[in-house]
Amino acid sequence: MMREGSSPMIHRADYTAPAYWIRSVDLAFDLDPAKTMVINRMRVERNIDVAPQPLRLHGEDLNLTRVLVNDASVSFRHEHGMLVIDSAQDLPAGEFTLEIRNTCAPEKNTQLSGLYTSASGFFTQCEAEGFRRITYFLDRPDVMAVYTVTLRATKAAYPVLLSNGNLLEQGDLDNGPNGPRHFAKWHDPFPKPSYLFALVAADLVVRQQQIRTRSGNDHLLQVYVKRGDLDKTEHAMNSLIASVIWDEARFKLPLDLERFMIVAVEDFNMGAMENKGLNIFNTKFVLASPATATDENYAGIESVVGHEYFHNWTGNRITCRDWFQLSLKEGLTVFRDQEFSMDMAGSASARAVKRIEDVRKLREVQFPEDAGPMAHPVRPDSYAEINNFYTPTVYEKGAEVVRMMHTLVGREGFANGMALYFERFDGQAVTCDDFAQAIADANPHSELARTLPQFERWYSQAGTPRLTARGRYDAPSRTYTLGVEQAGAPASHTTQEPFVIPFAIGLIGRDGRALPVQLEDEPADAPEAGKTDRLLVLTEARSFFTFVNVDVEPVPSLLRGFSAPVMLADGLDDADLLILLQHDTDPFTRWEAGQRLALNRLLAAARSNVPAELDTPFTEAMRSLLRHPALDAAFKDQVLTLPSESYLAEQLVPADPPRIHAVRQRMLAQMASALRVDWEWAFDAHQVSGPYSPDSLSAGKRSLANRALAMLCLDSVPRGDTVWPGRAYQRMNDATNMTDRLGALSALVYSHAPHAEPALHRFHELFRNEALVIDSWFKLQATAPEVDGKVFERAKQLLKHPDFSLRNPNRARSLLSGFCTNNPGAFHRLDAAGYVFWAEHVIELDAINPQLAARFARSLDRWNQLAEPYRSAAREAIVRVAAKPDLSGGVREIVTNALAL
Ligand code: PHE
Ligand code: ZN
């Protein structure tokens, strides 16, 4: 396929309202894989607020067969890839009918954007700009229409015909070339932007359940999957029911549809899509059974089902004015799904673990993005390809911005703000400013309302703010003074003005006691006075706070709960961190203290290049944490997980990934041997018996047991001791759930145990027909710790495996991103062969699926931070890709930005 060399830049400042509105759409499809016919009848109206101008419609990869205005043919032309009808501006200002007929070729659509075929039938993906690949349209989110959709297809091959909204009619048609045909007609009463349109025509089976909600309304919930997968839909259905209940309870947002459908498809670029009433999901986030899915998979399903369901209000009822406002729906909806998962987790400890996981992800993925060539504000100012802006910054940092608002106005204040937001904007396409204003207006006396314009810098300024905090205790006056400075990220291209930073803190005595935190100008009887934790709000480049009645020199516990998405240098030493690790009542800062102890040692070792011995205070602290009688297994597992290589690389400039890998592996090995007896205890003490349940308590035990097993194998293999690897093999073979089975397999593969090969073989044999399990099998091998280039060799061999395919996004990602993004120690090689591998596959993938290629291309984003010779070699590989004249606009934007550094 030929494509243009580069896409023009789109700027947020250039937004103008559309010149026409499309009020309703009547679509009819004759579905055929090779050539689908689309009849698109629209009621169109000039936007009288805009000067009369020609009607310009988006269209891509379509064959146009006719254009009628008010049922009469009109002249039209093609200009810059758009269909232009000049005569429309001469029509009266009232409504007119525009009918367009065109065809498209779903089976040739390997991009998986627009209408495409996958194993069991036809599927669509329209966000962000896929609808224009189905028919000509004003394909922008501020044009909202009411859709009526008729689907016609061969009955035997495509027994299920679905679209948004309610089913009006269905029935049989006469014979087509492939046998009897049938039809279904759907109507969605809610006006929606084109990106929320969906259709499915496929051979599927359904799990369904009728529910009655609090408000007394009945709804039909359905989960459609391909034949044979019905036994893997129970968890998705339960998650959907829980989501409906939760949104009504927490935000008073009820389900507004008679019928809510989820459809799973094997070929899908992203996780899932919130099409109104007809969510389409990557199978990865629907299908689960104890035998095939891990605890992590179960948790992923709960959160993605929740996420898409919550979009029904935050995204669909109120949508984005333009794509620069993407975080309006995504940041808010991620915040909502995070809160949902926390509420589902139950105990305080399980909530904290979820928060820790979310922060870990933010630091591993979003912080690097914010310091690299693709850094952008939560509300970007420009883009070439919108698909490149479905980023951790828009999603995860966007969620942190919403969380900060929540922190500043309180739980109830936030609920009031949401209510006002819906009161003002239901049914409209709005901006991030509109959202923030509603939350502030509902809370006029809050810190958010007081600082709103400054707070909104979180939407406009890129880069991770850096905080430096220093405290000083004055014994005679029993006061403690805390100074905090904020500075913009050094890598950001623009100067940063100070942010509004909610800064939650506590003070801990050296004996572990939580001390009251009383500010100096506060009366002793103020409601806050006796409390042991509090929220400070930083607004200046430098702030000072003095606390009174502090009996002993405290250790400050700062940024509790990770109250803002910042980096913090607090100057605490090992002794302070050990106190926090032992006594902090805030689980986040407690966990963070453990991470910092590990990080300090890892960074020192990486900088000095002398293999360091792990010190006793550290191993003792880890031992007592592991053996702690009161802490939950999941929390222990989080403390005992070392910071990732990518997080380490961000702290080390220039970064030498193989060295970072070696240093981290060595520390793991030392923790494995120093705590051997404790790992043995942990493995035995955390076995879960009885039928599988994905609840957080059981999942926590399994994850700690799996970590113990991995440590025991890591310790045994170099010594030639086969007892634990043997046990791991047994467990891989006999386990009754996938969490234990995959945990055992990964313990063998990651320790390069002799049992790894037979285990991989056996595992493949057992699950050859389970696509999602085979994805994990590929990924596990691609992410194994490198030894003498063997992992790289294996990755290259796996490309030729009969089960491998670049056409299936999950499969391609398992191997390619597994190796290039998730295995830095293997990918960055002195001979640059990893980069050559990367360049070849970016190019190969780009010809098939440019969105996927552009995402994959980002594994070299941080080339500029690398030590030599990696840096120059990586740059050369990017230059090689950039030299290709026919790259997609998406990949072009990624490599151009990378080289602009
Ligand atoms: N809007 C989807 C979500 O966040 C993500 C998505 C974007 C899916 C673009 C497909 C294409 O849930
Ligand atoms: Zn989303």
Side-chain angles (χ1 to χ4, degrees):
M1 183 190 323
M2 287 309 291
R3 283 179 298 236
E4 274 152 50
S6 69
S7 323
M9 272 296 198
I10 318 280
H11 296 273
R12 182 167 61 86
D14 292 346
Y15 174 83
T16 54
Y20 294 84
W21 301 113
I22 300 177
R23 301 299 187 189
S24 68
V25 195
D26 208 320
L27 287 169
F29 290 85
D30 275 294
L31 292 159
D32 179 284
K35 187 176 180 183
T36 286
M37 251 232 298
V38 186
I39 305 173
N40 167 10
R41 272 179 79 87
M42 296 165 270
R43 294 296 295 165
V44 185
E45 194 182 310
R46 243 174 53 206
N47 180 356
I48 50 167
D49 299 334
V50 170
Q53 49 190 284
L55 174 55
R56 294 191 164 79
L57 300 174
H58 301 105
E60 193 181 294
D61 277 354
L62 301 174
N63 284 311
L64 181 61
T65 54
R66 84 185 202 189
V67 183
L68 303 175
V69 168
N70 288 336
D71 295 311
S73 46
V74 287
S75 60
F76 56 86
R77 59 198 165 88
H78 288 278
E79 189 185 287
H80 309 302
M82 301 189 99
L83 171 64
V84 185
I85 303 167
D86 292 295
S87 58
Q89 64 185 311
D90 305 325
L91 291 170
E95 277 192 5
F96 59 93
T97 303
L98 173 62
E99 181 177 316
I100 291 190
R101 292 186 183 212
N102 64 271
T103 65
C104 58
E107 70 183 7
K108 295 217 183 84
N109 185 356
T110 59
Q111 299 187 26
L112 313 182
S113 161
L115 177 64
Y116 64 93
T117 54
S118 175
S120 55
F122 296 90
F123 300 84
T124 54
Q125 174 50 47
C126 293
E127 189 178 6
E129 298 179 335
F131 193 72
R132 65 188 62 181
R133 297 169 52 77
I134 297 174
T135 185
Y136 292 90
F137 207 72
L138 286 172
D139 192 11
R140 44 186 287 168
D142 55 355
V143 172
M144 298 165 83
V146 171
Y147 286 66
T148 306
V149 179
T150 306
L151 307 174
R152 291 187 282 261
T154 308
K155 193 170 179 176
Y158 312 108
V160 172
L161 303 176
L162 308 174
S163 191
N164 318 81
N166 304 314
L167 181 62
L168 294 184
E169 238 189 296
Q170 60 184 329
D172 290 333
L173 298 166
D174 40 354
N175 278 358
N178 302 311
R181 288 162 23 102
H182 68 152
F183 80 97
K185 187 171 183 179
W186 294 81
H187 176 74
D188 179 2
F190 293 97
K192 65 171 175 285
S194 50
Y195 83 87
L196 290 174
F197 166 79
L199 75 78
V200 171
D203 187 8
L204 302 173
V205 287
V206 63
R207 171 191 292 264
Q208 54 185 4
Q209 192 159 328
Q210 197 85 38
I211 59 159
R212 176 162 299 170
T213 55
R214 277 198 183 188
S215 34
N217 293 317
D218 292 324
H219 309 268
L220 179 62
L221 306 182
Q222 297 183 309
V223 178
Y224 288 89
V225 294
K226 75 165 201 287
R227 265 169 218 288
D229 282 343
L230 212 49
D231 57 339
K232 300 198 189 80
T233 53
E234 187 186 346
H235 182 61
M237 178 60 86
N238 289 342
S239 302
L240 180 57
I241 295 168
S243 305
V244 175
I245 294 171
W246 183 86
D247 216 9
E248 214 178 353
R250 172 101 181 238
F251 288 111
K252 301 199 175 70
L253 297 172
L255 177 51
D256 59 9
L257 297 153
E258 289 162 33
R259 185 201 283 244
F260 190 91
M261 298 171 277
I262 286 178
V263 178
V265 59
E266 224 164 12
D267 299 292
F268 199 76
N269 282 342
M270 306 281 276
M273 179 63 211
E274 70 264 23
N275 317 299
K276 184 81 186 183
L278 179 56
N279 288 185
I280 297 183
F281 272 59
N282 188 322
T283 43
K284 182 174 163 56
F285 294 107
V286 175
L287 303 179
S289 70
T292 57
T294 61
D295 293 332
E296 202 186 326
N297 298 147
Y298 272 82
I301 290 167
E302 181 181 272
S303 97
V304 177
V305 167
H307 181 96
E308 306 313 328
Y309 176 76
F310 303 143
H311 267 315
N312 190 48
W313 282 93
T314 52
N316 300 3
R317 287 288 287 255
I318 302 183
T319 194
C320 304
R321 186 193 70 173
D322 56 72
W323 290 121
F324 297 103
Q325 317 298 329
L326 183 56
S327 201
L328 171 79
K329 73 178 177 80
E330 296 305 347
L332 176 55
T333 305
V334 170
F335 168 77
R336 277 152 53 72
D337 83 53
Q338 290 175 347
E339 288 291 298
F340 167 61
S341 294
M342 277 194 230
D343 289 348
M344 294 293 287
S347 73
S349 169
R351 299 178 69 90
V353 167
K354 167 66 178 158
R355 180 65 184 144
I356 289 166
E357 288 166 353
D358 291 341
V359 173
R360 218 190 255 282
K361 177 168 177 203
L362 186 82
R363 284 175 169 171
E364 276 168 25
V365 190
Q366 197 280 325
F367 281 18
E369 174 168 272
D370 232 346
M374 279 295 291
H376 54 276
V378 167
R379 180 191 55 213
D381 293 314
S382 63
Y383 59 77
E385 172 55 66
I386 183 56
N387 290 315
N388 285 337
F389 286 79
Y390 287 77
T391 58
T393 297
V394 167
Y395 276 66
E396 273 73 29
K397 188 178 180 180
E400 293 299 321
V401 173
V402 175
R403 185 172 295 283
M404 287 189 285
M405 294 189 212
H406 184 270
T407 302
L408 290 172
V409 303
R411 186 180 159 116
E412 202 179 314
F414 189 80
N416 296 337
M418 287 283 279
L420 183 60
Y421 174 59
F422 285 106
E423 197 182 303
R424 281 186 186 165
F425 302 117
D426 191 11
Q428 299 178 44
V430 306
T431 65
C432 297
D433 289 332
D434 292 328
F435 175 75
Q437 191 71 55
I439 304 296
D441 287 353
N443 297 278
H445 305 297
S446 65
E447 288 286 318
L448 180 67
R450 201 174 61 73
T451 61
L452 188 62
Q454 187 187 351
F455 182 88
E456 288 212 46
R457 288 176 190 158
W458 284 110
Y459 283 111
S460 60
Q461 298 187 150
T464 309
R466 287 170 186 263
L467 298 190
T468 310
R470 289 294 178 273
R472 205 174 51 81
Y473 182 61
D474 184 59
S477 62
R478 294 164 61 237
T479 60
Y480 181 73
T481 306
L482 184 66
V484 193
E485 258 182 52
Q486 53 166 311
S492 76
H493 322 288
T494 50
T495 51
Q496 280 188 345
E497 299 293 328
F499 289 90
V500 176
I501 298 177
F503 194 56
I505 69 150
L507 300 175
I508 311 277
R510 289 187 181 267
D511 56 357
R513 208 161 33 102
L515 305 172
V517 195
Q518 188 188 349
L519 279 168
E520 67 178 337
D521 43 12
E522 222 164 40
D525 58 352
E528 299 271 70
K531 290 181 64 183
T532 53
D533 64 356
R534 68 182 304 148
L535 185 70
L536 307 176
V537 181
L538 314 175
T539 55
E540 310 292 323
R542 285 184 102 145
S543 334
F544 290 93
F545 302 90
T546 299
F547 303 97
V548 295
N549 298 324
V550 185
D551 290 340
V552 290
E553 173 162 17
V555 181
S557 160
L558 306 178
L559 201 66
R560 287 186 152 184
F562 199 67
S563 57
V566 300
M567 294 185 218
L568 169 67
D570 55 18
L572 300 189
D573 60 19
D574 269 20
D576 299 331
L577 293 170
L578 286 166
I579 288 171
L580 295 181
L581 178 60
Q582 245 185 311
H583 300 292
D584 202 330
T585 49
D586 183 87
F588 174 80
T589 31
R590 187 174 192 179
W591 166 78
E592 176 74 339
Q595 295 292 293
R596 289 271 305 288
L597 287 165
L599 191 67
N600 290 345
R601 283 157 179 78
L602 288 161
L603 294 178
R607 286 190 181 113
S608 75
N609 206 19
V610 207
E613 282 309 311
L614 208 50
D615 54 291
T616 313
F618 178 78
T619 49
E620 282 312 310
M622 291 296 144
R623 188 196 317 277
S624 68
L625 200 290
L626 179 57
R627 295 273 190 169
H628 198 288
L631 294 170
D632 278 353
F635 181 77
K636 293 180 179 185
D637 185 48
Q638 287 297 336
V639 175
L640 288 153
T641 304
L642 298 181
S644 70
E645 290 172 33
S646 82
Y647 185 57
L648 283 164
E650 287 302 309
Q651 335 276 320
L652 285 163
V653 183
D656 179 330
R659 187 199 287 181
I660 291 173
H661 173 71
V663 162
R664 189 173 179 278
Q665 279 300 117
R666 189 179 155 79
M667 183 154 164
L668 279 176
Q670 293 185 59
M671 282 171 69
S673 88
L675 304 183
R676 182 187 172 95
V677 179
D678 308 278
W679 293 121
E680 288 180 346
W681 164 81
F683 182 75
D684 291 335
H686 294 91
Q687 296 304 316
V688 184
S689 54
Y692 173 85
S693 145
D695 68 273
S696 46
L697 207 63
S698 320
K701 289 183 186 160
R702 279 188 290 266
S703 78
L704 191 58
N706 275 336
R707 174 164 319 278
L709 185 58
M711 287 301 216
L712 290 162
C713 288
L714 206 58
D715 179 56
S716 304
V717 171
R719 294 189 286 105
D721 180 342
T722 59
V723 174
W724 280 102
R727 283 184 75 174
Y729 186 89
Q730 278 305 315
R731 192 172 167 89
M732 187 290 301
N733 205 47
D734 304 342
T736 55
N737 66 71
M738 184 49 80
T739 307
D740 289 347
R741 203 190 284 272
L742 195 64
L745 180 65
S746 112
L748 293 171
V749 172
Y750 280 22
S751 63
H752 295 284
H755 306 66
E757 286 311 312
L760 281 165
H761 185 80
R762 172 85 181 121
F763 187 91
H764 185 272
E765 205 171 71
L766 288 171
F767 296 101
R768 58 169 77 244
N769 297 320
E770 297 290 345
L772 297 169
V773 180
I774 297 302
D775 290 337
S776 303
W777 181 83
F778 276 98
K779 183 166 182 186
L780 190 64
Q781 296 176 76
T783 53
E786 184 59 288
V787 181
D788 303 330
K790 291 199 186 100
V791 172
F792 182 45
E793 275 315 308
R794 171 62 61 93
K796 286 193 294 190
Q797 273 173 29
L798 285 172
L799 287 169
K800 299 184 208 119
H801 193 282
D803 292 346
F804 186 74
S805 162
L806 281 182
R807 306 220 159 210
N808 175 261
N810 291 354
R811 192 59 51 87
R813 264 191 293 262
S814 306
L815 183 52
L816 296 179
S817 305
F819 185 75
C820 298
T821 309
N822 301 317
N823 199 350
F827 173 54
H828 300 275
R829 296 165 54 95
L830 289 172
D831 67 2
Y835 306 149
V836 174
F837 174 92
W838 169 86
E840 282 168 357
H841 289 98
V842 169
I843 290 168
E844 198 178 338
L845 208 50
D846 197 31
I848 299 168
N849 186 332
Q851 272 186 52
L852 199 62
R855 266 165 201 278
F856 169 59
R858 296 197 51 194
S859 39
L860 268 184
D861 257 18
R862 301 295 278 140
W863 69 272
N864 194 33
Q865 296 283 91
L866 295 170
E868 292 295 357
Y870 306 108
R871 184 178 181 279
S872 300
R875 184 172 197 283
E876 210 174 294
I878 303 170
V879 168
R880 247 184 76 185
V881 172
K884 282 276 291 182
D886 58 349
L887 288 179
S888 68
V891 170
R892 171 75 56 210
E893 180 173 38
I894 301 299
V895 293
T896 305
N897 286 351
L899 293 174
L901 289 176

